[in-house]
Amino acid sequence: RVVAPAVRANHNVEVYILLSWRPSLRSLRGSKGAAKVWNAFWFKPAPNPWAMKLETAEELAAVVSWEALEYGASQVTVAILEVDVVIDEAMHPLMWREKTSLPLLRWKKVDLLWRHVVTQLGARDDRGRMHDSVCLIRDDSIWVQDFNISRFLHPGKVFAARMGGLCTSQRSNERASDTIFVIGGQVADNFMTLYSSYQRFSQDLLAADAE
């Protein structure tokens, strides 16, 4: 729904993917921290049949890469997290609360993903080349039709959908959903490293408290 339509529109599409091989610690804990068995949401999503047969992280990366290449991607890089990310210890109390931990963990993974992108461009002596646009997609996003990225190409803007439920449109809600962002090439580095910026600001607060 994303790669193939972009390729048909004559865009050169590179795909970078960051996946967790093991369940997150958060998903294995109950409301009071006790261990629990993961269960599906109320809409009971069904796993891909082939995914259940994969036994190693390398097999997962190979299958995902093959799928992206089949839809026309010019390059695919898949990074596998063997251990789930955690909030850095050097985080100011004002910058972190339990209710903010999940968004912070997501943005830390985005930061890690962007490092892989920069590393790949550097390995190809292509680090100075800027992507025209970056499409950041969360792994649980659901697509009901082809996505036309050509409508959202601006080098200095970030596009996002409004927050809402499944198959609903909440026009009064001004909060941005984090399921998908289309990011202009000029601002991609700043946007994709928001966690690092957040952490640096937290460290500045810690240093100010110590003075």
Side-chain angles (χ1 to χ4, degrees):
R1 293 299 190 178
V2 179
V3 174
V7 172
R8 289 196 297 268
N10 295 320
H11 294 292
N12 178 39
V13 180
E14 297 179 358
V15 176
Y16 299 86
I17 302 171
L18 181 68
L19 295 173
S20 297
W21 176 244
R22 301 182 186 280
S24 68
L25 295 176
R26 187 183 181 94
S27 69
L28 296 178
R29 293 181 184 146
S31 59
K32 298 182 180 180
K36 68 182 182 69
V37 177
W38 184 87
N39 54 6
F41 292 106
W42 59 269
F43 52 89
K44 301 185 184 306
N48 293 325
W50 55 261
M52 303 303 293
K53 299 178 182 179
L54 301 178
E55 297 182 355
T56 67
E58 290 73 20
E59 289 180 352
L60 172 62
V63 170
V64 173
S65 296
W66 178 84
E67 287 280 333
L69 291 170
E70 280 290 295
Y71 285 110
S74 62
Q75 172 171 320
V76 182
T77 299
V78 181
I80 304 294
L81 283 177
E82 293 287 353
V83 180
D84 196 34
V85 298
V86 295
I87 302 297
D88 293 273
E89 293 182 0
M91 192 70 75
H92 193 280
L94 293 177
M95 302 290 289
W96 180 82
R97 294 288 187 275
E98 179 62 28
K99 66 180 180 180
T100 64
S101 62
L102 184 56
L104 280 176
L105 290 172
R106 287 175 180 165
W107 284 106
K108 186 172 184 179
K109 290 180 180 180
V110 171
D111 204 304
L112 290 173
L113 173 62
W114 189 244
R115 292 182 197 177
H116 284 289
V117 174
V118 172
T119 299
Q120 287 297 314
L121 293 179
R124 290 154 44 194
D125 294 325
D126 207 11
R127 187 169 181 175
R129 183 184 62 78
M130 179 171 51
H131 289 95
D132 296 325
S133 187
V134 176
C135 189
L136 176 62
I137 305 172
R138 215 171 69 186
D139 62 341
D140 58 349
S141 301
I142 298 175
W143 300 89
V144 295
Q145 63 182 28
D146 288 351
F147 178 62
N148 182 8
I149 195 173
S150 299
R151 298 176 55 191
F152 305 98
L153 298 181
H154 190 288
K157 290 185 177 182
V158 177
F159 298 90
R162 287 186 176 93
M163 185 72 73
L166 288 173
C167 302
T168 63
S169 177
Q170 300 180 7
R171 293 297 179 184
S172 61
N173 195 336
E174 295 303 323
R175 292 185 299 164
S177 169
D178 66 348
T179 54
I180 177 172
F181 294 97
V182 181
I183 310 146
Q186 292 180 1
V187 296
D189 190 66
N190 289 334
F191 189 83
M192 298 289 284
T193 56
L194 284 174
Y195 179 85
S196 292
S197 299
Y198 194 84
Q199 186 183 23
R200 285 194 298 270
F201 184 62
S202 177
Q203 291 171 347
D204 290 342
L205 288 177
L206 289 171
D209 287 349
E211 294 177 354

